[in-house]
Amino acid sequence: MSGKVRRPGIRELPSGARVADALRAAGGVRDGADLTGLNRARVLMDGEQIVVGAPPGPSTAGGAAGVAMGGGGGGAVAGPVSLNTATVEQLDTLPGVGPVLAQHIVDYRTQHGGFRSIDELREVNGIGDRRFADLQPLVGP
């Protein structure tokens, strides 16, 4: 789960789990989150990501985290957000990242020819040690 939930991150849920189950596993939605277009009764697919509070459609692809479905064998999970390809809107769904910081990340990427490692995120204006620690498991180069 990513976006406007209380505890974003990867969640492992049983087969047959629904979007509502994933929302509960993420501690629920934050106040003011727009759930328009989010079918809470829909059964989840293995490795699917759910982005809460982002506009529906292609702009949510490649989100911050995923939902792993498993029946003992563990499931595949959606990959991390790519610092080299994510849009400002996609970066904005990460915890602690708003539109201004998302733009700083894109600007850094443009000025430096991309990110060669996640550690370069520390170079972005507005990313301190704590924010980096929060983002590190959710992003990739």
Side-chain angles (χ1 to χ4, degrees):
M1 301 268 359
S2 65
K4 297 183 179 189
V5 293
R6 286 188 168 72
R7 292 188 316 267
I10 296 171
R11 304 285 181 258
E12 191 164 314
L13 300 171
S15 294
R18 298 182 181 271
V19 171
D21 299 321
L23 290 171
R24 273 192 296 281
V29 297
R30 287 191 268 158
D31 292 338
D34 182 9
L35 298 179
T36 303
L38 187 63
N39 180 355
R40 289 172 269 171
R42 184 176 56 76
V43 175
L44 296 168
M45 301 296 293
D46 186 25
E48 182 176 355
Q49 71 180 42
I50 305 296
V51 180
V52 177
S59 66
T60 62
V67 175
M69 311 278 288
V77 296
V81 172
S82 171
L83 296 171
N84 287 321
T85 61
T87 64
V88 169
E89 293 79 17
Q90 290 167 329
L91 293 166
D92 187 21
T93 67
L94 293 166
V97 176
V100 172
L101 184 53
Q103 187 61 55
H104 286 318
I105 294 169
V106 170
D107 291 345
Y108 179 92
R109 172 176 77 201
T110 302
Q111 293 167 358
H112 295 88
F115 288 85
R116 288 173 239 8
S117 75
I118 297 170
D119 289 332
E120 278 187 77
L121 191 57
R122 293 178 190 261
E123 307 285 325
V124 175
N125 183 25
I127 304 282
D129 290 339
R130 182 171 176 168
R131 185 158 294 143
F132 177 77
D134 291 343
L135 293 174
Q136 188 177 14
L138 304 175
V139 298

